[in-house]
Amino acid sequence: MLKVIKIRIYPNAQQQQSLAQAFGSCRWLWNYCLNLMNQTYKQTGKGLSGYEVKKLIPQLKKEHDWLALTYSQCLQQVCLNLGVAFNNFFEKRAKYPRFKSKHGKQSIQYPQNVKVADNHLSLPKIGDISAIIHRTIQGKVKTVTISRNCSNQYFAAILFDDGKDKPESSTEGKAIGIDLGLTHFAVTSDGSKFDNPRILNKYEKNLKIKQQQLSRKQKGSNNRNKARQKVARVHRKINNCREDFLHKLSRRIVNENQVIVVENLNVKGMMQNHCLAKSIQSVGWGMFCTMLKYKAEMEGKITCEVDRFFPSSKTCHVCLNQVGSLPLDVRSWTCESCQTKHDRDINASINIKDEGLRILTRQSPQVGKPFRQSLMGETNMTALPHHGAGSSGTGDKACRPDVSRSNRGRKKSTTTLSAGQEAYCVREASL
């Protein structure tokens, strides 16, 4: 199983100069190959692959002697990474590749010939670089990526294969639903609430002062560069605090639960709300969900996403009655059907968990009723939706038993089920 460990390295002055030369050479080669691909496509209508542009490196070394100062495989890896970037673009996994700038984060990649010792890394043409290796690396080293951030800190991301098989996913254990928010960062179906740390607010005043000082400096001066690094250090502190909180919370949730259900949030669309855009950007929902996924996968646990349009807050988890509207300022409400008083966030997390379990049950129909009972525990089985209309972020369908969709795709509780749908619900209920 492949794993990655990111460690801090401390190159000396000469090694920093060598790394800066390598960063610049790889950046120049990326921009040259990207421009060549663009021009070739405009002239011929056909593009170039990463392997085709890699063949140009020997000729470029003859024209530019300084390219030979950089390790050859780092240059080759630049061309291959550019080909992968274009493949991701054509398969709609990423945006069109952009030209790299000398400002901001810099990185190079070593595909092999890197040795990891107890307190240093051995890089070709760089030498032994002091490092703090806080975790034992047991396995074959695949790739090492050296990076430098805006605060002139150097890191090494070591990808290695530990030789172990990936654990099989199991459903035996506790299931939990998570409702993400701004007042409380996460509310779980068992009633736990985790406050939003609001890290940006703690450092916003300091950040404002540093940015004001930066704006007064003359462009191109050394003082402006010093002020820029001060701003970068504040941003680094904010980022480190946010990642620390997200790592600890995601690790706790993965350790305590076997099945984790979250919403498939449209964070980019929610950023269009200018009143909440700053808070949504700083909270880190997307990063948190990514951490949950890869940590659960490494532990053999299951994560499931529920469609963002699933009415988790407006649906009573006891009787499945749905209210017409529920503004954001209403944090608790009483069901008109069963008179149950709900906390808005806890009720939403319970509905998210039930919907996720229903989706997992639909994906594994051969498991049947014992699977549901083992996952849900004390959850009321009659409250679990069985209907199949609508859509879910996992590719399955999400809805309530008494709800079907009109031609415009909107949910209407008054729409009656057809004979086929009623038979389908009876068949599902018999599992």
Side-chain angles (χ1 to χ4, degrees), residues 214-226:
L214 174 63
S215 65
R216 298 190 184 104
K217 299 297 185 292
Q218 183 179 0
K219 292 186 178 180
S221 63
N222 290 332
N223 286 335
R224 182 179 178 85
N225 187 41
K226 294 178 183 178

Side-chain angles (χ1 to χ4, degrees), residues 182 200 267-285:
L182 294 177
L200 180 60
V267 179
K268 184 177 180 180
M270 298 169 69
M271 291 283 293
Q272 302 301 319
N273 185 346
H274 299 292
C275 298
L276 300 176
K278 185 177 180 180
S279 300
I280 294 174
Q281 184 182 25
S282 63
V283 73
W285 288 335

Side-chain angles (χ1 to χ4, degrees), residues 325-380:
S325 63
L326 197 65
L328 289 177
D329 58 344
V330 178
R331 309 314 302 174
S332 61
W333 57 281
T334 303
C335 178
E336 298 178 356
S337 178
C338 63
Q339 301 303 318
T340 303
K341 187 173 182 179
H342 297 293
D343 180 279
R344 179 193 182 106
D345 298 328
I346 296 179
N347 175 68
S349 61
I350 295 175
N351 285 327
I352 290 173
K353 182 189 74 170
D354 293 345
E355 177 63 15
L357 297 179
R358 188 196 67 83
I359 292 174
L360 292 176
T361 307
R362 288 284 306 278
Q363 292 177 349
S364 303
Q366 69 276 8
V367 180
K369 186 175 180 180
F371 172 72
R372 290 186 183 180
Q373 293 177 342
S374 63
L375 288 180
M376 299 184 64
E378 299 178 357
T379 304
N380 185 8

Side-chain angles (χ1 to χ4, degrees), residues 312-328:
S312 57
S313 300
K314 298 189 294 183
T315 304
C316 173
H317 71 272
V318 177
C319 64
L320 299 181
N321 178 53
Q322 181 177 334
V323 297
S325 63
L326 197 65
L328 289 177

Side-chain angles (χ1 to χ4, degrees), residues 190-307:
D190 57 5
S192 301
K193 293 185 178 182
F194 301 94
D195 291 333
N196 183 5
R198 302 183 185 277
I199 299 171
L200 180 60
N201 294 349
K202 298 179 181 178
Y203 298 93
E204 193 170 18
K205 184 177 180 180
N206 186 22
L207 181 61
K208 179 181 178 180
I209 295 175
K210 297 295 190 298
Q211 288 176 335
Q212 288 176 343
Q213 295 174 354
L214 174 63
S215 65
R216 298 190 184 104
K217 299 297 185 292
Q218 183 179 0
K219 292 186 178 180
S221 63
N222 290 332
N223 286 335
R224 182 179 178 85
N225 187 41
K226 294 178 183 178
R228 181 194 58 79
Q229 292 185 4
K230 292 181 180 179
V231 174
R233 282 195 288 268
V234 179
H235 281 293
R236 183 194 68 203
K237 180 66 175 179
I238 296 172
N239 185 60
N240 290 345
C241 293
R242 181 190 296 113
E243 288 188 355
D244 179 74
F245 168 76
L246 296 179
H247 273 297
K248 290 179 179 179
L249 180 58
S250 59
R251 172 51 59 189
R252 174 180 174 180
I253 292 176
V254 170
N255 288 345
E256 295 177 354
N257 303 278
Q258 184 66 28
V259 178
I260 304 169
V261 187
V262 295
E263 285 183 293
N264 180 19
L265 297 176
N266 182 16
V267 179
K268 184 177 180 180
M270 298 169 69
M271 291 283 293
Q272 302 301 319
N273 185 346
H274 299 292
C275 298
L276 300 176
K278 185 177 180 180
S279 300
I280 294 174
Q281 184 182 25
S282 63
V283 73
W285 288 335
M287 186 184 299
F288 176 71
C289 294
T290 301
M291 291 179 180
L292 283 178
K293 290 179 183 178
Y294 82 78
K295 289 179 181 180
E297 185 179 0
M298 293 178 63
E299 298 292 334
K301 300 183 178 182
I302 297 176
T303 57
C304 179
E305 288 186 350
V306 172
D307 186 69

Side-chain angles (χ1 to χ4, degrees), residues 391-411:
S391 62
S392 171
T394 58
D396 204 274
K397 298 181 178 180
C399 187
R400 294 168 44 231
D402 55 344
V403 176
S404 63
R405 287 193 179 272
S406 63
N407 295 333
R408 299 178 62 88
R410 304 192 180 207
K411 294 185 177 180

